Amino acid sequence: MTHRFPIKEIATQSGLSTATVDRVLNERAHVSPQTRRRVKDAIEELTRQESQLAARGRRFFIDVVAEAPQRFTRQIQQATEAVLPDFKPAALRPRFTFAETMSAAETAAIVDRIHRRGSQGLCLKARNTGETREAVRRLKSKGIPVVTLFTDIPNIERLAYVGLDNERAGRTAAYLMLKLLKDDDRTILTTLSQHSFQGEEDRFRAFRSELLRVRPELELIDASGGGGLSPATALEVGDKLQGITDIAGVYSMGGGNLAILRTLEAAAIDPGVFIAHDLDEDNLDLLRAEKLSLVLYHDLRADMRLALRHLLAFHGVGEPPRWSESDIQVVTPLNIPRDP
């Protein structure tokens, strides 16, 4: 039974003698299960109280930086603000920096500003580039912890990654696509906002590998690079549709789905299967209209709660989560959550 409290303190909390607590902690004989439970409960109570005392009256400035379409960054901000009351008596003060597109240099400049002004932690959704990795290393050298959100950046010694297991999500999408395709279907369209987002790239590789393992005759057409933004996504998809008369399925990893559907409709193409990610306003409307077959969804409030728990634990407030990956939920037009 691991702990960091003096035996006397555990004895006072549990109402047992120090000798009895000592016997429990050292796993000696002649101790009843009820007594062991009282000691265990006392340690858990002391741990919670310690966390509350450590948090009381403390303010934590947390930076949240994300490159994503506004429809998604709005969800990130709403999810973050919704979970702030969970951390009382600590006072968390998030500072949001969002842009629909950020060059590698712009992302590095934002991280360097945080480095100069100070912060108790950074939640970061950014592309995996050399400039970003170096900026995060500079931030870490000042003792500012970093949690990557939704898309990881390997080899930066970040504190944690929080979000979907993106390889697992890609394999799940492939499994569902294979179940929904007809035997004579041949062509699948895939779209990413950017291949430099590690999370989307992991989804793409896993999806392609699993799909072609089972149906090697399928042709994948990749129309990526639109940043999840409607005009750019429509241009990417329209360019790749030249000479194509049929698309059986679409797997959209980066958004812009209304633009994808309109571009397909303009080309007189009606895919039988359309799998997307996230329950933003566009996707909710498309699901209700049954324009999307299904959406792979994860609870952003749960994600932001985990990210903030990691950062607070770094500062000695609370325990770090034992896991950081989101559950994948499959949402169809018939099981849309009441409060997505």
Side-chain angles (χ1 to χ4, degrees):
M1 196 178 296
T2 58
H3 69 97
R4 56 179 176 274
F5 304 103
I7 289 177
K8 185 177 180 180
E9 194 170 350
I10 298 170
T12 301
Q13 186 74 21
S14 64
L16 299 168
S17 69
T18 55
T20 300
V21 171
D22 182 74
R23 286 204 304 275
V24 172
L25 296 177
N26 290 285
E27 299 183 354
R28 297 194 178 99
H30 310 300
V31 178
S32 70
Q34 293 85 352
T35 299
R36 292 186 187 279
R37 167 57 63 180
R38 285 177 65 180
V39 172
K40 183 175 184 295
D41 289 346
I43 291 172
E44 291 176 354
E45 290 162 4
L46 287 168
T47 300
R48 287 194 297 271
Q49 292 170 19
E50 183 183 56
S51 298
Q52 292 296 302
L53 289 170
R56 193 172 300 280
R58 293 180 65 181
R59 289 193 303 171
F60 297 87
F61 288 95
I62 306 296
D63 287 279
V64 182
V65 176
E67 178 189 355
Q70 189 178 49
R71 63 179 181 273
F72 189 62
T73 56
R74 184 164 55 244
Q75 285 190 304
I76 294 173
Q77 181 165 348
Q78 289 170 348
T80 304
E81 292 172 344
V83 301
L84 293 180
D86 297 350
F87 296 95
K88 292 180 179 178
L92 274 64
R93 298 290 183 263
R95 301 182 293 204
F96 299 101
T97 305
F98 297 145
E100 293 198 315
T101 59
M102 290 184 194
S103 68
E106 288 169 335
T107 303
I110 290 167
V111 175
D112 283 337
R113 280 203 302 272
I114 294 169
H115 177 248
R116 289 193 296 272
R117 76 183 179 190
S119 176
Q120 276 74 55
L122 168 63
C123 297
L124 178 66
K125 179 187 181 296
R127 306 185 207 186
N128 180 15
T129 68
E131 287 171 272
T132 300
R133 291 193 297 271
E134 287 305 313
V136 170
R137 289 191 185 102
R138 290 193 292 272
L139 195 69
K140 186 176 178 297
S141 71
K142 194 176 180 180
I144 299 174
V146 176
V147 172
T148 52
L149 289 176
F150 316 129
T151 180
D152 204 3
I153 303 177
N155 305 318
I156 58 167
E157 298 182 35
R158 40 84 174 138
L159 185 63
Y161 162 72
V162 171
L164 286 178
D165 178 332
N166 284 295
E167 289 187 7
R168 189 179 175 198
R171 289 194 298 271
T172 300
Y175 174 85
L176 294 165
M177 180 73 74
L178 289 164
K179 293 294 183 184
L180 294 170
L181 289 175
K182 301 184 184 72
D183 291 342
D184 58 350
D185 287 337
R186 288 291 178 269
T187 308
I188 307 299
L189 177 71
T190 59
T191 67
L192 292 76
S193 63
Q194 300 288 347
H195 279 277
S196 52
F197 280 116
Q198 188 68 41
E200 291 181 31
E201 179 65 14
D202 289 343
R203 292 176 193 174
F204 174 73
R205 287 200 312 268
F207 175 80
R208 179 178 58 188
S209 175
E210 182 64 16
L211 197 76
L212 297 182
R213 181 185 70 81
V214 179
R215 296 272 301 268
E217 78 280 7
L218 291 173
E219 177 187 4
L220 269 67
I221 298 172
D222 182 34
S224 297
L229 305 173
S230 293
T233 300
L235 286 173
E236 294 287 345
V237 172
D239 182 61
K240 293 299 173 67
L241 288 181
Q242 299 299 318
I244 302 296
T245 58
D246 183 59
I247 297 289
V250 177
Y251 179 32
S252 169
M253 289 154 264
N257 299 317
L258 184 59
I260 295 169
L261 284 164
R262 285 174 175 168
T263 305
L264 290 170
E265 184 179 359
I269 295 173
D270 183 16
V273 185
F274 198 125
I275 298 175
H277 276 266
D278 302 319
L279 287 179
D280 56 45
E281 293 173 0
D282 285 356
N283 283 352
L284 284 169
D285 289 342
L286 292 172
L287 267 176
R288 293 183 182 114
E290 299 189 16
K291 299 292 186 180
L292 301 180
S293 307
L294 56 93
V295 168
L296 300 181
Y297 166 65
H298 55 111
D299 185 344
L300 294 186
R301 285 171 295 189
D303 292 332
M304 295 311 304
R305 189 179 293 109
L306 287 171
L308 295 172
R309 282 181 62 194
H310 276 293
L311 294 175
L312 288 180
F314 177 87
H315 294 287
V317 176
E319 298 291 326
R322 287 176 290 180
W323 70 92
S324 297
E325 291 175 352
S326 310
D327 292 328
I328 302 171
Q329 301 178 44
V330 179
V331 180
T332 73
L334 300 181
N335 71 324
I336 298 172
R338 291 185 180 86
D339 183 24

